[in-house]
Amino acid sequence: LSHLGIDQETLGKLVGWAGGSRTVTLSFACTRKCSFNREVQYEQDSKTKHVTEVSTSSGHGAKWESKVVTTITEYYWDFNVAMELVAFVGTGEGEGERIQLLSREGQHEIKTSSDNAPYPETVIAPPIEVNISDLLGLIQPDSCLLYTSDAADEEDSVDLGGRRIIKKKKKKK
């Protein structure tokens, strides 16, 4: 739970909400935006040159070089993503009924050779919501959120979040 941004105080609040026979929901929401930033044009010389040499009988000559120059247009787009993980009780609309657990934002610049946007302008994904009331009902308010395992050093047991399972050793015949 600590990886989700839930500390001991937040856990106590969530367990209290669930203990009051109210629904507690975990909600993940994501918004993506793509907007035009700029257009850049530049010229690129071809790596191939065409050389034509002409000489006359009198010894005079001429030389012509030609090459292909390509104009390249690149389009730059700003791509932004915002994500949020919240827990709320009931509808989450009242004062103090919503706790933001995690929030992340990121931005990336995308380069294309077309003036068509690589992604839709705005995408607001429907939130993913999970009722965690029953899970919270199983947690004691003073539970420890830290997971430690000393079983890694012991070959004959496995630690499952504080409960130790001892593997029976097989008797050799």
Side-chain angles (χ1 to χ4, degrees):
L1 295 174
S2 61
H3 291 296
L4 296 177
I6 300 175
D7 58 16
Q8 198 67 37
E9 181 182 339
T10 304
L11 178 64
K13 190 168 191 174
L14 295 175
V15 169
W17 285 348
S21 300
R22 297 186 69 193
T23 301
V24 180
T25 304
L26 198 62
S27 177
F28 175 77
C30 179
T31 302
R32 297 180 307 224
K33 294 182 179 181
C34 184
S35 59
F36 179 73
N37 183 315
R38 68 186 183 281
E39 176 182 326
V40 175
Q41 285 188 342
Y42 61 93
E43 293 182 349
Q44 185 173 24
D45 294 342
S46 169
K47 296 193 185 320
T48 307
K49 291 183 182 179
H50 300 285
V51 179
T52 305
E53 293 185 25
V54 179
S55 59
T56 62
S57 59
S58 63
H60 292 82
K63 181 177 175 182
W64 289 279
E65 282 187 22
S66 67
K67 60 183 173 181
V68 176
V69 176
T70 304
T71 300
I72 297 174
T73 304
E74 296 175 334
Y75 302 89
Y76 291 83
W77 307 86
D78 291 327
F79 184 68
N80 300 295
V81 178
M83 297 174 272
E84 180 182 47
L85 181 66
V86 297
F88 62 88
V89 63
T91 60
E93 295 174 3
E95 176 101 15
E97 291 186 339
R98 193 173 189 84
I99 300 173
Q100 183 181 48
L101 302 174
L102 293 174
S103 177
R104 300 283 188 269
E105 290 185 9
Q107 180 179 358
H108 188 72
E109 187 173 69
I110 299 172
K111 176 174 65 173
T112 65
S113 58
S114 167
D115 63 350
N116 295 325
Y119 296 102
E121 186 175 343
T122 301
V123 175
I124 301 173
I128 299 170
E129 297 184 343
V130 178
N131 181 339
I132 59 169
S133 303
D134 291 338
L135 173 66
L136 292 171
L138 298 173
I139 298 174
Q140 299 300 318
D142 57 347
S143 295
C144 178
L145 292 176
L146 300 175
Y147 172 78
T148 58
S149 173
D150 57 354
D153 298 330
E154 300 175 21
E155 296 178 5
D156 62 342
S157 64
V158 176
D159 187 347
L160 297 175
R163 291 177 291 175
R164 186 168 303 270
I165 298 177
I166 307 294
K167 294 181 184 176
K168 292 184 180 178
K169 293 183 180 179
K170 295 182 182 178
K171 294 179 183 177
K172 294 183 181 178
K173 294 182 182 182

